[in-house]
């Protein structure tokens, strides 16, 4: 057998009617590659996330369906985003019974744009380090109400009829300033 899976061996007599023994042997395969995929390879820089899926592959490119394998997933640029949080540079994701290890690339701060790499690595039983890099584009976008806050401050108390200066800042969910956003003021 040259692929992962199980084989059941059965010993019978010459007539084929008497079974003497049955044994099952499970064969495993040493991965020859690791892959990392994402449904979207672009994310808005407002704390949004993109789902990543890592998997180990055999020589035919098939996913090795085994659970409990740790695949290290890293971010090449935590200024743009991190793995499973906006600041984490790495995470060990564990494969499930289907052979997939889920993670997220979470964009760090609005206004910070560029391209980052999410990298998957795994050292197989032969000691070979398998690696895969996936480029993720971090783009600007409208701040999300669920992840952004608006802080409005004034320079102090103002006498009736006098002018007042206000300063508005918008920050993302991690406290980073979101530059170049339009803010409309109104009075009630």
């Amino acid at each position: 057998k040259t692929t992962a899976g199980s084989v059941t061996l059965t010993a019978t007599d010459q007539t084929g009617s008497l079974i003497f023994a049955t044994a099952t042997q499970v064969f495993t395969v040493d991965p020859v590659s690791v892959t990392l995929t994402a449904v979207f390879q672009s994310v808005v820089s407002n704390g949004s996330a993109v789902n990543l899926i890592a998997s180990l592959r055999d020589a035919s490119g098939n996913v090795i369906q085994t659970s409990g394998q740790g695949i290290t997933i890293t971010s090449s640029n935590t200024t743009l985003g991190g793995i499973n949080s906006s600041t984490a540079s790495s995470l060990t994701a564990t494969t499930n019974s289907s052979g997939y290890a889920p993670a997220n690339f979470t964009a760090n701060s609005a206004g910070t744009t560029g391209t980052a790499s999410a990298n998957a690595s795994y050292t197989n039983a032969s000691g070979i380090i398998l690696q895969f890099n996936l480029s993720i584009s971090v783009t600007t976008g409208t701040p999300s109400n669920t992840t952004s806050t608006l802080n409005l401050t004034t320079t102090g108390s103002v006498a009736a009829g006098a002018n007042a200066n206000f300063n508005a800042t918008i920050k993302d969910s991690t406290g980073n300033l979101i530059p170049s956003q339009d803010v409309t003021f109104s009075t009630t």
Side-chain angles (χ1 to χ4, degrees), residues 59-146:
S60 298
N62 300 312
V63 173
I64 298 173
Q65 296 182 359
T66 184
S67 61
Q69 299 300 305
I71 301 172
T72 303
I73 302 174
T74 60
S75 169
S76 67
N77 187 343
T78 54
T79 301
L80 294 176
I83 305 301
N84 279 15
S85 81
S86 61
T87 58
S89 61
S90 70
L91 164 84
T92 299
T94 305
T95 57
N96 59 24
S97 61
S98 297
Y100 296 105
N104 291 312
F105 178 89
T106 304
N108 199 352
S109 62
T112 306
T113 62
T115 301
S117 290
N119 310 302
S121 65
Y122 178 82
T123 303
N124 68 14
S126 301
I128 299 170
I129 299 171
L130 310 173
Q131 295 183 325
F132 189 91
N133 299 321
L134 179 70
S135 293
I136 298 174
S137 177
V138 180
T139 63
T140 58
T142 305
S144 167
N145 288 336
T146 60

Side-chain angles (χ1 to χ4, degrees), residues 150 152 166 168 170 181-187:
L150 171 65
L152 184 62
F166 291 92
I170 300 175
Q181 298 296 315
D182 293 327
V183 176
T184 303
F185 292 93
S186 63
T187 59

